Amino acid sequence: NSARFMWKRMPAAIKEARPEVVAVWRIGQKLWTRDYAGIYVCTDFVVYLIFISFLHHRSAELYKKRMFELLLAAYSTISTQDSAHFLGMNENDATNYVLQQGWVLDSASQTLTVKKQAVVKEQKLDPSKLQRLTEYVFHLEH
């Protein structure tokens, strides 16, 4: 009964913007009317919404990581405002995020100095190249 009154007091903007809230309310309605079979249908929908929310969050994190890598490759210095814009955060959060990655903040000019990470290249040994090199060295010696 308390959930019913809470639903009535809840602003319409929240009800329209958050489908998971509506889905949970439907579960409450099914409980109220003792429609036990309907509860399972509603809970499946809530699980689906949570899964979609997880995918959205995960893709946003991957996108933020990719944007950070692009900033790392493209800039030596960047303003805190621009870094926040590219990373999709407010300035404080973006500044804290890049400072954790080793970047340096100049407080006076509000610019960040990018700390380039050491590039580790793995040299792949191609057998055909090794064979040609061996033949070339053999030819030089004889």
Side-chain angles (χ1 to χ4, degrees), residues 42-136:
C42 292
T43 55
D44 287 344
F45 184 66
V46 170
V47 169
Y48 170 76
L49 287 175
I50 292 170
F51 178 70
I52 294 299
S53 175
F54 170 76
L55 287 179
H56 171 73
H57 177 72
R58 182 70 178 135
S59 64
E61 287 297 316
L62 290 173
Y63 183 74
K64 179 173 53 175
K65 182 180 177 190
R66 178 67 180 135
M67 286 304 296
F68 177 77
E69 290 171 359
L70 289 173
L71 292 176
L72 191 63
Y75 290 91
S76 58
T77 60
I78 186 171
S79 71
T80 56
Q81 185 178 13
D82 287 343
S83 67
H85 172 74
F86 287 122
L87 294 173
M89 304 174 172
N90 64 44
E91 283 190 49
N92 290 333
D93 290 343
T95 301
N96 290 333
Y97 180 79
V98 297
L99 288 176
Q100 290 173 355
Q101 307 300 321
W103 293 18
V104 179
L105 173 65
D106 179 11
S107 301
S109 63
Q110 290 297 303
T111 58
L112 295 158
T113 303
V114 177
K115 179 183 176 191
K116 302 288 184 184
Q117 296 174 346
V119 178
V120 177
K121 284 194 173 182
E122 196 174 306
Q123 197 172 23
K124 295 180 181 177
L125 186 59
D126 184 11
S128 65
K129 290 181 182 177
L130 184 60
Q131 179 64 35
R132 277 190 286 150
L133 180 62
T134 304
E135 290 172 2
Y136 182 73

Side-chain angles (χ1 to χ4, degrees), residues 1-9 25 32:
N1 204 24
S2 297
R4 191 168 54 109
F5 290 117
M6 184 181 77
W7 179 257
K8 288 181 179 182
R9 289 190 313 267
W25 170 240
W32 183 263

